Amino acid sequence: MKKLIVLVLVLVTFFGCGEELEFNTPSFQAKKDGNLWEAVTYRANIDNSGVLTIVGSDNFETVTLVVNSVSIGLHNVVTTTSSASLLDVNNMNWSTDNTPDPSVQIYPADGMIDLKEVDMEAGTVSGEFYFNAFNESGLSSINFNQGFFHNVPLGGAITTDPGVTCNDANATVAATLINYNAADPMDANFETVCNAYKTALETQITACGDVGGTIQATIDGLTCM
């Protein structure tokens, strides 16, 4: 009996430490319409007016959270200038700023961003979020819940070129990836298609950052010639 108790205590201690280590790792994830959505790149920026923007991308879709200040606590995406949006793989923008069609619902989109920590010394932000957003027609909606961002790096510019936003860069990558996957390596046009995809990925790094080096690893794995 004593051996069993000791074994249980050891297992509890082991798994408890494992969960703590996982939570202390920078991350950005949520459930999108009930399915896990997890970013592979993420970063945050505070502009001159004090607006905090947090962006996460899984290399196909991009979630953007805009918080109207760096004040710790709840920020309603409807009653304030805060907002939440998703740019999907088809370049469709789902936003809490979009108004639902009256035939769907009379209430506006909703959501909350709970800013837990803004550590200027460490250069990170952490918090939780959920939101319901509509497409531009207002006829369809998506739901993100149980969302959190933890130790997301601060200070990286959202984009170094005002003409190329992170959303634009992700959309271009998605489009060129489709062409790349459909191209035959033996085809005379393959080099052009491959280089277009490579350029789109390089632009994505510039506009969005590349925490963990995932995008650069994809570039390094390309053989365009």
Side-chain angles (χ1 to χ4, degrees):
M1 183 66 180
K2 290 183 178 179
K3 290 183 179 180
L4 179 60
I5 294 174
V6 171
L7 177 59
V8 170
L9 290 174
V10 169
L11 289 174
V12 169
T13 302
F14 177 80
F15 285 111
C17 291
E19 290 177 358
E20 184 178 352
L21 289 172
E22 181 180 355
F23 186 72
N24 284 333
T25 302
S27 55
F28 186 124
Q29 66 182 55
K31 284 190 175 180
K32 174 193 172 188
D33 292 333
N35 299 310
L36 177 64
W37 188 96
E38 187 171 9
V40 295
T41 62
Y42 31 79
R43 74 263 179 253
N45 184 52
I46 302 174
D47 68 16
N48 292 333
S49 61
V51 174
L52 170 65
T53 302
I54 308 153
V55 178
S57 173
D58 66 355
N59 285 343
F60 298 98
E61 299 183 322
T62 301
V63 171
T64 301
L65 306 174
V66 179
V67 189
N68 62 342
S69 76
V70 294
S71 300
I72 302 303
L74 297 174
H75 298 261
N76 193 309
V77 301
V78 176
T79 60
T80 69
T81 54
S82 300
S83 65
S85 63
L86 168 79
L87 183 71
D88 70 18
V89 69
N90 297 312
N91 202 29
M92 180 176 290
N93 187 47
W94 307 78
S95 175
T96 55
D97 289 333
N98 291 336
T99 303
D101 188 278
S103 65
V104 178
Q105 69 177 49
I106 60 174
Y107 302 105
D110 65 294
M112 199 76 69
I113 302 170
D114 186 2
L115 201 55
K116 299 287 190 182
E117 182 181 56
V118 179
D119 191 331
M120 301 301 292
E121 184 176 348
T124 60
V125 295
S126 300
E128 300 175 354
F129 68 93
Y130 81 86
F131 67 89
N132 296 293
F134 286 82
N135 60 5
E136 293 180 358
S137 71
L139 294 172
S140 298
S141 65
I142 58 166
N143 169 261
F144 274 77
N145 60 46
Q146 298 180 35
F148 70 85
F149 47 94
H150 183 70
N151 285 350
V152 170
L154 254 177
I158 296 306
T159 175
T160 57
D161 182 350
V164 182
T165 66
C166 182
N167 282 351
D168 290 340
N170 287 328
T172 302
V173 166
T176 54
L177 176 59
I178 292 173
N179 293 334
Y180 174 77
N181 287 335
D184 185 341
M186 303 303 294
D187 190 89
N189 193 47
F190 178 77
E191 182 178 346
T192 300
V193 172
C194 182
N195 281 322
Y197 178 44
K198 181 179 180 180
T199 299
L201 289 169
E202 291 170 344
T203 301
Q204 186 182 43
I205 290 178
T206 301
C208 305
D210 187 20
V211 177
T214 304
I215 302 175
Q216 186 59 54
T218 301
I219 293 173
D220 294 341
L222 294 175
T223 304
C224 296
M225 296 181 64

